Amino acid sequence: MDVGPVEYVVVAFPGNHFRGEIAPELRALVASGTVRILDLTFVKKDVDGVVSYIELEALDPTEASVFDDIEGEVGGLFSQEDLDLIAEELVPDSSAAILLWEDTWAAGMANAVRRAGGQLLAHERIPAEVVERAYQDAA
């Protein structure tokens, strides 16, 4: 089986205001075969700094409904240590969505590299702001 690179993202929501605008875009990525969801967990820090962890299936049905049509979600792949490290970075009265996905679009290439005996030496995402600035500087 070809397996693509696996990545995680952490998206913080100051004031604990998650409104669900991300879900339709995530749904489109999954439906197109671009990514496969492996885990989705939420971390919430209240105004007193008390942290709680919520798996997708434990969310309030109204909050969870924005993710209803998204295929995937093996779950349980984040360790408690992973979650604790992310929680440390959150300011009080904020939350974060922690998403682990497989880049299925790259599975064939990743498998070809493995078959050829290649080894990945570096892989890094370049922030959009950096790319935009580079384009502006080059113009």
Side-chain angles (χ1 to χ4, degrees), residues 10-31:
V10 179
V11 181
F13 298 95
N16 288 309
H17 298 293
F18 176 72
R19 296 185 301 268
E21 287 91 345
I22 295 171
E25 292 301 323
L26 185 57
R27 187 177 301 112
L29 288 171
V30 171

Side-chain angles (χ1 to χ4, degrees), residues 2-137:
D2 289 349
V3 176
V6 174
E7 301 184 53
Y8 77 94
V9 295
V10 179
V11 181
F13 298 95
N16 288 309
H17 298 293
F18 176 72
R19 296 185 301 268
E21 287 91 345
I22 295 171
E25 292 301 323
L26 185 57
R27 187 177 301 112
L29 288 171
V30 171
S32 70
T34 304
V35 301
R36 179 171 62 102
I37 305 303
L38 302 177
D39 203 347
L40 177 60
T41 301
F42 299 90
V43 178
K44 184 175 183 177
K45 187 179 276 189
D46 70 15
V47 293
D48 297 320
V50 176
V51 174
S52 57
Y53 305 98
I54 307 161
E55 291 285 339
L56 180 59
E57 61 273 1
L59 279 178
D60 173 272
T62 306
E63 294 173 318
S65 67
V66 298
F67 298 100
D68 283 349
D69 299 331
I70 298 176
E71 301 273 334
E73 223 274 297
V74 171
L77 297 176
F78 292 114
S79 70
Q80 189 60 49
E81 183 180 356
D82 295 332
L83 299 175
D84 290 344
L85 287 170
I86 292 165
E88 284 178 25
E89 297 299 316
L90 286 177
V91 297
D93 193 30
S94 64
S95 56
I98 309 162
L99 182 62
L100 184 72
W101 69 53
E102 175 193 359
D103 290 327
T104 51
W105 62 269
M109 181 63 177
N111 194 34
V113 168
R114 286 189 288 271
R115 286 192 316 266
Q119 297 176 340
L120 181 65
L121 293 181
H123 173 233
E124 185 174 339
R125 294 274 177 183
I126 300 171
E129 300 81 25
V130 172
V131 175
E132 289 170 3
R133 216 173 17 255
Y135 276 127
Q136 290 171 357
D137 292 347

